[in-house]
Amino acid sequence: MKKLKKAFTIVELVIVIAVIAILAAVLIPTFTSIIRKANEASDTALAKNMNTVLSTAEAGGDAPADMEEVTYLMEQNGFKLENLNPTADGNVFVWNKATNRITYINRDKEVVYSGDNLASGSAFTASGDYWLTVKTAGDIEAWSGLSYYFADKQIADDTAGLTFSTPSSVDTGTYTYQGTITYTFTEEAEVSVYGHVNALTVDAPKATVNNYSSVDTVTIQKVGANSYHEYGYAKTLVVEATAVNANIVIEKTGMVDKVDTSAAPDSSKFTNNGYVYRRDGEPDTDTTTYVYEITTAKELASFRDKVNGGQTFAGLKVALKADVDISGKVWVPIAYDSRENYGKEGYLYFAGTFDGENHTVNGLSNQGFQPTVLRVDTYGTGSGVPEENNYLYGLFGILQDATVKNLNMTNVNIATEEILLDSVGAIAGFASGSVTIENCTASGSIEGQDAVAGIIGRIYTYEKDVQVLIKDCTNNINIVTTGEKAAGILAFASVKSGGTLAGGYFVIENCVNNGNIKSTNYAGGIAVAEDSGSVRGKNFKVSGCENTGNIEAPANVGQILALGGGSSTAQWVIENCTGTGTLSAATVRWDATGTLVQA
């Protein structure tokens, strides 16, 4: 009979388990500590490298102005840091806006590494100079006393509200904060608010508050004698009876639709150096003389943010007073929205007059543009374009009953990459209504999916008695579509019929295209027009235009015009136009007079 081996007794098993537990208690923290130290060493090296990037940009005169530019600059230099998060759990990177350097702090609020020469191991003193990227309100609670950049939709959608008893600035980034930001700190200090905010309440008797954001409602309960400064756009600003000795200033770039000072105490002051549509029910700014002036890239972005906050600028003039360089900046279009939202509440568009005064905007690019946080253009899906990846793009996103004139666009660089672009142009992606684009030029390169042009991608005239005029514009951009409809000046025009000859014409005159045009279908030196047998595609006139660019597509190409959706030229009027570019051997071609030369 086989002899059985002796097994462990219960006592022996208990002893073994106890020994294992003791070893685990000793070794696991050791291993954890080793791993944490390794992570912190890696994070420290990363922080040093990021500071090298910051100092290099600073030396080149291109230091970032805000957290969005910091994250973009890091991305451009190979650091794929969505939110500047360290690998060591609970630790954070903070950016000092005043010194343009990053400091690395551990979860015990001790300095691990500092670009500001703070001693390693010393206690970190929080202040509003330091910016932290946050995803939730809990991140703010854990790291109070700093300033905060919203890096996730989760915190933006939180309607609970944020109350700051310390001087903390806020930047909502590309998101709109749905709650109320309230300041209640009592010390004498200055804070700023950037981005898009539902509501802002100031109950801080010694504060100086600078608002650069677009906000629905601002309520001043208490504010310091150094005042509330409006640099952004507020739909409503209310000064309450408790605002003793408050000084409210609408700065030169500030805009407010409605100011209510009816309950304000006599000791409060109100100064309008900008634009106020109504104050206590009465006009406060002379719109016949008011001009919104732009002299820097930051001011151009601030103007953009106002439009994207809902200010249409209808009836107002915007003037570009200097050349502006936006190269290396993340550019969200002015009036960025979806065409499918036309006519709906909250639809974003620019409706004023933008006069470039013959100045230049240099370096427009969609590089770094993150459209997933914005509304989606679902048009063009019939040609197989996934609607979640289909976006319009240009300096302006949407024009409606607007004028853009005397503007030069240089070094334009727009590419599809992983984002499919529908309705793309250096000046604007899309327009509707009575629109004038005059004396504008563009150079660089553009690639998109559908309706891509050097000047403007697509125009729809939804009403029949409107006047669309594009004149004295020159395109030097080479245009490529991976889908269809490409042109030097306008990639797609759809014109409502039934208007009179004077009021219903869609006119392009004295425009020149020098760029090469390439598409999979419908490519015109000047424009592509629609005639699909519907009520659109009528009353279209082109005069005095010239094309020197080569036009390439398998079908439907034209020296001046190409016709989308049909083959009839009955609705075209082409006068005094010339075309010297090469037309590809397309199945359907039109010459410079609009005559069908091959079908």
Side-chain angles (χ1 to χ4, degrees):
M1 189 172 77
K2 186 176 180 181
K3 186 178 181 180
L4 297 176
K5 294 182 179 180
K6 184 180 179 181
F8 286 109
T9 66
I10 293 177
V11 173
E12 288 171 332
L13 285 174
V14 169
I15 293 172
V16 169
I17 292 171
V19 170
I20 291 173
I22 292 170
L23 290 173
V26 172
L27 295 177
I28 289 177
T30 301
F31 290 145
T32 302
S33 177
I34 291 171
I35 293 171
R36 185 169 188 83
K37 287 181 179 179
N39 286 338
E40 288 188 347
S42 176
D43 293 336
T44 298
L46 179 59
K48 290 178 179 179
N49 288 336
M50 290 191 293
N51 277 331
T52 298
V53 171
L54 292 172
S55 62
T56 301
E58 186 178 312
D62 196 27
D66 51 41
M67 278 299 299
E68 182 179 8
E69 292 188 6
V70 170
T71 56
Y72 175 67
L73 181 63
M74 296 306 164
E75 289 277 347
Q76 291 298 101
N77 283 273
F79 300 106
K80 303 299 181 183
L81 304 171
E82 180 184 358
N83 301 311
L84 296 179
N85 288 326
T87 56
D89 183 51
N91 294 7
V92 295
F93 294 126
V94 291
W95 174 63
N96 189 338
K97 185 175 181 178
T99 64
N100 187 36
R101 293 295 183 271
I102 287 173
T103 291
Y104 180 36
I105 310 166
N106 67 22
R107 60 190 176 189
D108 297 320
K109 308 294 193 301
E110 296 173 339
V111 176
V112 180
Y113 158 79
S114 174
D116 292 331
N117 295 319
L118 301 177
S120 297
S122 63
F124 174 73
T125 302
S127 78
D129 286 337
Y130 290 96
W131 284 82
L132 173 70
T133 57
V134 293
K135 292 184 176 181
T136 68
D139 295 336
I140 294 177
E141 293 174 4
W143 293 91
S144 62
L146 305 173
S147 291
Y148 307 98
Y149 178 78
F150 289 10
D152 193 271
K153 194 173 185 295
Q154 181 180 352
I155 188 171
D157 289 343
D158 187 354
T159 60
L162 294 169
T163 299
F164 294 102
S165 57
T166 58
S168 299
S169 295
V170 174
D171 187 340
T172 68
T174 55
Y175 302 98
T176 297
Y177 181 59
Q178 302 299 328
T180 299
I181 293 175
T182 302
Y183 286 111
T184 60
F185 60 87
T186 56
E187 59 261 58
E188 185 175 335
E190 183 174 358
V191 295
S192 298
V193 180
Y194 305 88
H196 299 271
V197 178
N198 175 59
L200 172 63
T201 298
V202 181
D203 187 17
K206 297 181 181 179
T208 297
V209 178
N210 305 308
N211 181 51
Y212 294 90
S213 75
S214 293
V215 56
D216 284 355
T217 304
V218 177
T219 303
I220 307 297
Q221 296 175 347
K222 296 176 185 176
V223 71
N226 285 332
S227 75
Y228 172 86
H229 297 266
E230 183 61 69
Y231 295 93
Y233 167 52
K235 294 180 180 178
T236 301
L237 190 154
V238 179
V239 184
E240 295 189 346
T242 54
V244 177
N245 296 323
N247 184 23
I248 313 300
V249 182
I250 311 303
E251 300 290 353
K252 187 177 179 180
T253 60
M255 304 185 77
V256 184
D257 290 343
K258 176 184 175 182
V259 172
D260 183 356
T261 57
S262 59
D266 292 340
S267 61
S268 66
K269 299 178 182 179
F270 179 84
T271 305
N272 177 19
N273 296 323
Y275 172 83
V276 176
Y277 181 64
R278 290 282 189 273
R279 180 186 175 193
D280 298 333
E282 298 296 327
D284 201 77
T285 301
D286 184 358
T287 58
T288 63
T289 60
Y290 173 80
V291 178
Y292 187 98
E293 297 183 350
I294 298 169
T295 58
T296 67
K298 197 68 179 175
E299 289 175 353
L300 182 64
S302 179
F303 158 66
R304 180 268 317 278
D305 291 343
K306 290 179 176 66
V307 179
N308 288 346
Q311 172 57 263
T312 68
F313 283 78
L316 300 179
K317 180 181 178 181
V318 180
L320 185 63
K321 293 295 184 180
D323 294 345
V324 170
D325 187 357
I326 58 174
S327 59
K329 310 293 184 184
V330 179
W331 187 255
V332 176
I334 302 162
Y336 184 79
D337 207 331
S338 167
R339 290 185 288 132
E340 70 173 357
N341 290 320
Y342 176 81
K344 297 178 182 178
E345 183 179 358
Y347 178 69
L348 299 178
Y349 58 90
F350 175 73
T353 295
F354 187 94
D355 189 347
E357 297 191 350
N358 296 314
H359 290 296
T360 297
V361 174
N362 180 66
L364 172 69
S365 174
N366 66 328
Q367 192 169 26
F369 173 54
Q370 298 294 328
T372 53
V373 301
L374 301 171
R375 289 195 270 190
V376 176
D377 184 355
T378 58
Y379 278 73
T381 56
S383 59
V385 180
E387 62 181 47
E388 67 272 16
N389 293 323
N390 192 11
Y391 303 90
L392 54 78
Y393 199 81
L395 179 69
F396 288 86
I398 298 176
L399 304 174
Q400 181 172 309
D401 299 321
T403 296
V404 179
K405 60 183 181 179
N406 307 321
L407 178 63
N408 304 307
M409 302 292 297
T410 57
N411 294 310
V412 175
N413 179 21
I414 301 173
T416 57
E417 297 180 347
E418 71 278 6
I419 300 169
L420 300 180
L421 300 175
D422 177 300
S423 304
V424 186
I427 300 297
F430 175 74
S432 64
S434 293
V435 175
T436 298
I437 301 178
E438 181 178 358
N439 192 32
C440 294
T441 67
S443 63
S445 64
I446 297 180
E447 180 185 32
Q449 168 69 17
D450 188 26
V452 183
I455 301 300
I456 182 167
R458 191 187 303 257
I459 297 180
Y460 283 175
T461 57
Y462 292 97
E463 303 299 328
K464 62 184 180 181
D465 284 316
V466 298
Q467 180 73 57
V468 173
L469 175 63
I470 303 175
K471 65 179 295 187
D472 301 325
C473 293
T474 299
N475 173 57
N476 297 309
I477 292 177
N478 292 325
I479 305 296
V480 176
T481 68
T482 56
E484 59 183 33
K485 295 188 285 292
I489 303 299
L490 169 66
F492 192 64
S494 186
V495 187
K496 185 90 170 181
S497 71
T500 64
L501 184 66
Y505 255 121
F506 193 119
V507 178
I508 302 179
E509 62 181 37
N510 301 327
C511 291
V512 177
N513 173 58
N514 297 314
N516 295 325
I517 313 296
K518 184 177 182 180
S519 176
T520 62
N521 196 7
Y522 309 119
I526 298 298
V528 176
E530 182 184 47
D531 182 9
S532 59
S534 67
V535 296
R536 296 182 293 183
K538 298 173 171 59
N539 295 340
F540 198 103
K541 180 180 179 180
V542 183
S543 65
C545 292
E546 178 185 4
N547 171 59
T548 67
N550 298 326
I551 315 299
E552 180 181 351
N556 299 301
V557 300
Q559 288 283 5
I560 301 300
L561 289 181
L563 192 62
S567 59
S568 171
T569 61
Q571 305 302 331
W572 294 358
V573 177
I574 299 178
E575 299 175 342
N576 303 318
C577 294
T578 60
T580 58
T582 299
L583 296 183
S584 66
T587 56
V588 182
R589 292 183 290 167
W590 291 274
D591 66 15
T593 67
T595 300
L596 187 64
V597 295
Q598 180 179 343

